[in-house]
Amino acid sequence: MASPYTPPYSPHRGKQPSLSQLRAFAAVAEHLHFRDAAAAIGMSQPALSGAVSALEEALGVQLLERTTRKVLLSPAGERLAVRARAVLDAVAELLEEAEAAQAPFTGVLRLGVIPTVAPYLLPTVLRLVHRRYPDLDLQVHEEQTSSLLEGLAAGRLDLLLLAVPLGVPGVTELPLFDEDFVLVTPQGHALAGRDDIPREALKELRLLLLDEGHCLRDQALDICREAGRTDGAEVTTTAAGLSTLVQLVAGGLGVTLLPRTAVTVETARNSALWTGLFTEPAPSRRIALAMRTGAARHAEFEELAQELRGAMRGLPVRVVDGGS
């Protein structure tokens, strides 16, 4: 008696039918005529007959009842014809999906974007995608840098748009542009409207920054340290986003740093906000796409980066060469 955990031995176990055999049988089951079935799938009649016989041997069942005048399906053949057609349909769908996957800029692309980039660059990104890649299903996720990198490593995200350098192993950066920081002040401030602000002016200013976790906060602090600002100088952290930050500036609570791409959006609606430009070289940040090193879609991502560089030439940025 066979063990309840071990299927009984079958002399046909291990004999796998081929797709050619299944295709031949499915054609015969549909046409019930060898000559018509052979013509339908572009196979010679002897080859078709041999394929069906080989399938019967592999499965260990008789599929057809052959007479001199017609072909009939056996009871087993009736049931297995349905299964054979389902297998062939599934294989056809698999091939179609593989063909679609080979087509660039189709399917889903999960793009992660940092909050200090999303509101200012996404309009340009979305216009480009809709115009150049209409078959691409772009899904946008706005998160802080650490969360984006975790999502990229885990496969939850495919591509990131953020500030670099990241210095993360296994991540390849595709630089897009550099942009300067500007000083945002309340109206009447001594530095309001100037275009020759030295970095050293940051030493003693009451600086408003984003909350912990935003890379823009870290970049601003690095700029201040380079300017000679000491860790003991006053830094007030009260804002979770740039929109709140500039309203605090408008209210006279201090000054802040904004990337150039954010200036128009964040300052145009409040006449109490003024901007000042730093002397050259102005403090700046670099924005790039980031992907997993060796990503299957790396060629697509590199092409997208190149297209984005062209689309962003109208912004107040310095587009960088792809190899920079």
Side-chain angles (χ1 to χ4, degrees):
M1 183 175 182
S3 166
Y5 303 102
T6 305
Y9 171 75
S10 167
H12 301 282
R13 187 179 304 281
K15 294 185 177 180
Q16 297 291 326
S18 68
L19 290 177
S20 178
Q21 293 167 358
L22 292 175
R23 193 172 293 112
F25 170 55
V28 173
E30 179 181 353
H31 295 278
L32 295 177
H33 194 284
F34 276 94
R35 185 178 66 241
D36 293 346
I41 62 174
M43 182 181 284
S44 70
Q45 190 170 329
L48 179 93
S49 180
V52 174
S53 296
L55 179 62
E56 289 178 315
E57 180 179 355
L59 297 177
V61 295
Q62 182 179 346
L63 301 172
L64 305 176
E65 295 179 5
R66 302 165 177 83
T67 70
T68 55
R69 290 190 295 182
K70 59 183 178 179
V71 177
L72 299 175
L73 291 174
S74 69
E78 292 276 4
R79 297 195 303 273
L80 293 177
V82 176
R83 298 286 189 182
R85 175 48 56 194
V87 170
L88 293 172
D89 289 345
V91 170
E93 291 175 2
L94 182 147
L95 294 175
E96 290 175 3
E97 188 69 25
E99 184 177 353
Q102 292 176 11
F105 299 104
T106 59
V108 175
L109 173 58
R110 298 161 298 181
L111 176 68
V113 191
I114 56 175
T116 59
V117 162
Y120 321 113
L121 296 187
L122 279 180
T124 300
V125 174
L126 295 177
R127 279 195 299 270
L128 172 69
V129 170
H130 291 158
R131 176 173 55 85
R132 292 281 287 119
Y133 312 115
D135 296 325
L136 187 65
D137 180 9
L138 183 65
Q139 299 177 2
V140 177
H141 302 262
E142 184 185 47
E143 302 169 23
Q144 292 184 8
T145 299
S146 59
S147 177
L148 292 180
L149 288 172
E150 290 173 2
L152 186 69
R156 177 174 61 84
L157 298 172
D158 303 309
L159 191 63
L160 308 181
L161 179 59
L162 73 179
V164 297
L166 299 169
V168 177
V171 175
T172 296
E173 299 169 5
L174 305 174
L176 300 177
F177 63 82
D178 295 324
E179 65 174 330
D180 292 340
F181 285 101
V182 301
L183 186 70
V184 181
T185 72
Q187 188 175 17
H189 192 279
L191 298 177
R194 287 180 51 178
D195 60 3
D196 60 349
I197 302 172
R199 291 197 192 198
E200 291 73 20
L202 294 170
K203 287 182 180 180
E204 304 301 332
L205 292 175
R206 189 180 186 203
L207 194 64
L208 302 173
L209 297 177
L210 293 175
D211 289 337
E212 295 280 356
H214 289 274
C215 63
L216 186 57
R217 172 192 171 90
D218 297 331
Q219 292 161 354
L221 289 174
D222 287 342
I223 292 168
C224 291
R225 279 190 285 270
E226 291 172 4
R229 187 184 183 100
T230 63
D231 291 338
E234 183 178 7
V235 174
T236 304
T237 303
T238 53
L242 293 183
S243 294
T244 302
L245 200 62
V246 295
Q247 296 313 310
L248 295 174
V249 172
L253 297 187
V255 300
T256 194
L257 294 170
L258 280 189
R260 284 290 298 271
T261 51
V263 170
T264 299
V265 173
E266 298 300 346
T267 65
R269 55 180 177 262
N270 194 327
S271 59
L273 291 167
W274 284 59
T275 58
L277 303 181
F278 290 92
T279 55
E280 296 294 339
S284 65
R285 70 173 181 175
R286 173 163 290 191
I287 299 299
L289 292 177
M291 63 180 178
R292 288 183 295 276
T293 302
R297 303 172 72 178
H298 67 91
E300 285 181 59
F301 297 159
E302 290 175 353
E303 179 181 332
L304 178 60
Q306 187 59 31
E307 292 290 336
L308 283 172
R309 292 182 191 110
M312 291 173 177
R313 292 190 183 278
L315 300 177
V317 300
R318 295 183 300 280
V319 173
V320 300
D321 182 82
S324 297

